[in-house]
Amino acid sequence: MVKPVTPDIRRTLTLRDVSEASGVSEMTVSRVLRNRGDVSETTRERVLEAARRLGYVPNKIAGALASQRVNLVGVIIPSLSNMVFPEVMTGISDVLEDTGLQPVVGVTNYLPEREESVIYEMLSWRPSGLILAGLEHSAASQAMLAQAGVPIVEIMDIDGTPVDSAVGISHRRAGRQMAETIVAAGYRRIAFLGTQMPNDHRAKKRLAGFEEALGREGLLLADREFYSGGSALLKGREMTEAVLKRSPDVDFLYYSNDMIGAGGLLYCLDQGIDVPGRVGLAGFNGVELLDGLPRRLATMDACRLDIGRLAAEIIAGKRPDGIVGGEIIELSPTLQPGDTIRKV
Amino acid sequence: MVKPVTPDIRRTLTLRDVSEASGVSEMTVSRVLRNRGDVSETTRERVLEAARRLGYVPNKIAGALASQRVNLVGVIIPSLSNMVFPEVMTGISDVLEDTGLQPVVGVTNYLPEREESVIYEMLSWRPSGLILAGLEHSAASQAMLAQAGVPIVEIMDIDGTPVDSAVGISHRRAGRQMAETIVAAGYRRIAFLGTQMPNDHRAKKRLAGFEEALGREGLLLADREFYSGGSALLKGREMTEAVLKRSPDVDFLYYSNDMIGAGGLLYCLDQGIDVPGRVGLAGFNGVELLDGLPRRLATMDACRLDIGRLAAEIIAGKRPDGIVGGEIIELSPTLQPGDTIRKV
DNA sequence: ATCTGCTATGTTACCGCTAACAGCCATTTG
DNA sequence: CAAATGGCTGTTAGCGGTAACATAGCAGAT
């Protein structure tokens, strides 16, 4: 009862083709291909054989419309070239892998209006959930998220009010903690070097926390320098040179990320500057790159893998004890002192 | 004629809701929201106002099924943490941005069976096109791609036979060219350091081309070292140390990528080894990171941005003069000699 | 022999939207 | 003034699947 394949006229195949080729109803084919419901072993094999032979690929568009179920999870991040988001993605993929859910990535380039349109686009595919970086969104974005009717997880940051769930660290606290460590190590003339990104709220919060903790010790930032665009490593060098020339008495450089910190470290070593004696250095993120540097930059791990994992677990409904939504998970970043802060 | 909104019972909204709220047919609403067909200015505004007020987000699943058009382009790459693919993505996004097409990323981790399932998954969403890295795929993957009935662009590599179109460089030739340059500069005891990845076909082709060109000069690789996993920068250091200890007479180190090359460079500088006098170094890719290093590593730009751009143009039907498919575009990587090869 | 309960398969009615076409009205045209 | 035109809006029939229910066998219980 096996109809011959006619490979000449190339319409795209449907369930009906497989159904005719295998001599059972479309419904039965559908059941076989989804492993759902009882199908006898013989028909199952006949159907699978026919599907394979024809090269049938199910149409998820139609399936999703009919079943009102979409196995996609939207992931909205500011940038891919950041080193930090690929690792978050890894955590997400790890967890989703065995749930049948699939991540779909959208990139905003730190632009709120881009974010808005990416959210709109994503929601128009009716995904099973949305993971997005940050707690700061435009009013329109907030409204869409609140209306979406699917789990929303805001990641990276927890200093604020999430729409639904949140997983991240307190960047404010991270900044404070770093400041306390630096001051405890005896540094007093401290400069900040960071990105000139009006929409990098997390870097801003770290700086705010940092200055707050300095303030408690009666200190002010001795200098500050911002950059935008270009190679982070190179910019780190340039900014470091600029700051050290402008403020020769500075004894600590706090960088908003590890890449520019690494550039600063390389610059100091090149110049024969005593690190951490003459100046101390610290970055943020705990990127793998640092392992290969001549000296280990002090940094703070942002728990990126765990953030990804936990966010995915929330979407996948894998959180323990039937926690449903509106969960806020604060992770504790660990400070890695490395070799660029004086030992007390 | 504006019906009141009932925000209490949260069904997900459909065209019908907007239609009722604005007093026109669903079809007219659809036309307004897609900017298609003639609609009077007054109804257009009334509809838009209602849609905004309700917070309506169209259901693309239904739209795609009805119109048989999907504005998604699948992009399948081996890894996100590679530095190289984010840049390809940037090129793709740049071009797709103003075409209404949207990239959807899938990651294979260099596993053919993962690739197979990602291709299947992607095709089941009936995208407008597929961009995927490399020319080597399983038989099943090849079959699916050939059947897909949409433009397929294989990127990065052109040493082989594409299913449809291809955009990339010849890695074999890139390897040859680097070997010729190195030999011309007077180096004779040359070692290769690379990743232990059975499925990184492009690195393999570079090495093959490299050895071929060495062979023509009557040379053989003096040593070789492979690694897998871990921080590439750190591994670069370790491998370099291992090779230089094992084969002290080696005078050139060719790395399969810039990250391990950068690690090697840092190691040599640490050890006070004369670069490029005592040993020369070269990597591959032209990553931005190198700009910040104390010395510029010799490398070869892989044209990643252009590859992304051209691939997207093929999918978007933007290629000049009505070229339709089956196009093979070979780009020429430029050799950047940097400061780690002796000047002749 | 009839009834029950199960397994394996088929039938029907959508899912939410859009292509294609049909209709209506106000203008313009011959 | 009837017919043609063109701008705007509505109606109908799917797109390719799946949920829910219906049905056909068939074994074992009564």
Side-chain angles (χ1 to χ4, degrees), chain A residues 169 177-178 285-286 299-303 331-337:
Chain A
I169 66 170
Q177 195 182 335
M178 186 56 91
N285 259 340
T299 189
M300 222 158 170
D301 174 35
C303 311
L331 299 169
S332 302
T334 53
L335 197 150
Q336 299 162 348

Side-chain angles (χ1 to χ4, degrees), chain B residues 19-32:
Chain B
S19 136
E20 285 173 356
S22 57
V24 297
S25 71
E26 298 173 35
M27 195 59 224
T28 301
V29 176
S30 171
R31 280 195 268 255
V32 170

Side-chain angles (χ1 to χ4, degrees), chain B residues 44-85:
Chain B
R44 147 168 271 99
E45 269 163 26
R46 206 138 50 95
V47 167
L48 285 176
E49 188 278 327
R52 242 192 312 270
R53 183 165 42 92
L54 295 168
Y56 173 70
V57 178
N59 184 332
K60 288 224 178 186
I61 307 259
L65 183 61
S67 66
Q68 304 282 63
R69 248 180 282 112
V70 180
N71 71 337
L72 301 177
V73 176
V75 181
I76 302 180
I77 57 182
S79 161
L80 273 177
S81 46
N82 220 350
M83 294 281 228
V84 15
F85 295 107

Side-chain angles (χ1 to χ4, degrees), chain A residues 162-183:
Chain A
V163 173
D164 181 11
S165 298
V167 183
I169 66 170
S170 165
H171 286 263
R172 183 174 283 277
R173 178 177 310 189
R176 276 205 304 264
Q177 195 182 335
M178 186 56 91
E180 287 158 6
T181 305
I182 291 167
V183 173

Side-chain angles (χ1 to χ4, degrees), chain A residues 107 119 134 146 151 198 244 290:
Chain A
V107 177
I119 291 173
L244 291 180
L290 301 184

Side-chain angles (χ1 to χ4, degrees), chain B residues 193-275:
Chain B
L193 298 86
T195 44
Q196 183 62 280
M197 282 219 191
N199 294 308
D200 189 344
H201 300 281
R202 293 177 286 288
K204 220 180 268 176
K205 287 173 185 175
R206 285 198 298 279
L207 176 54
F210 191 77
E211 291 195 88
E212 182 197 323
L214 289 186
R216 286 210 202 117
E217 308 278 349
L219 295 173
L220 285 173
L221 274 185
D223 198 353
R224 55 181 76 201
E225 177 85 10
F226 297 92
Y227 83 104
S228 63
S231 157
L233 209 56
L234 182 57
K235 287 291 176 185
R237 282 176 173 274
E238 295 171 356
M239 293 164 76
T240 303
E241 178 169 17
V243 168
L244 291 180
K245 291 237 161 97
R246 185 171 57 217
S247 313
D249 57 341
V250 155
D251 64 3
F252 201 97
L253 302 168
Y254 180 41
Y255 296 88
S256 77
N257 69 63
D258 282 344
M259 280 304 271
I260 57 175
L265 175 58
L266 289 176
Y267 172 80
C268 289
L269 296 179
D270 273 8
Q271 300 293 315
I273 296 171
D274 173 19
V275 176

Side-chain angles (χ1 to χ4, degrees), chain A residues 260-313:
Chain A
I260 57 174
L265 174 58
L266 288 176
Y267 172 80
C268 289
L269 296 179
D270 273 8
Q271 301 293 314
I273 296 170
D274 172 19
V275 177
R278 161 74 186 80
V279 283
L281 306 172
F284 180 82
N285 259 340
V287 302
E288 191 186 59
L289 175 91
L290 301 184
D291 292 344
L293 258 29
R295 203 159 308 178
R296 304 208 26 146
L297 182 69
T299 189
M300 222 158 170
D301 174 35
C303 311
R304 301 186 297 285
L305 204 65
D306 286 331
I307 287 177
R309 264 202 246 282
L310 289 163
E313 284 178 5

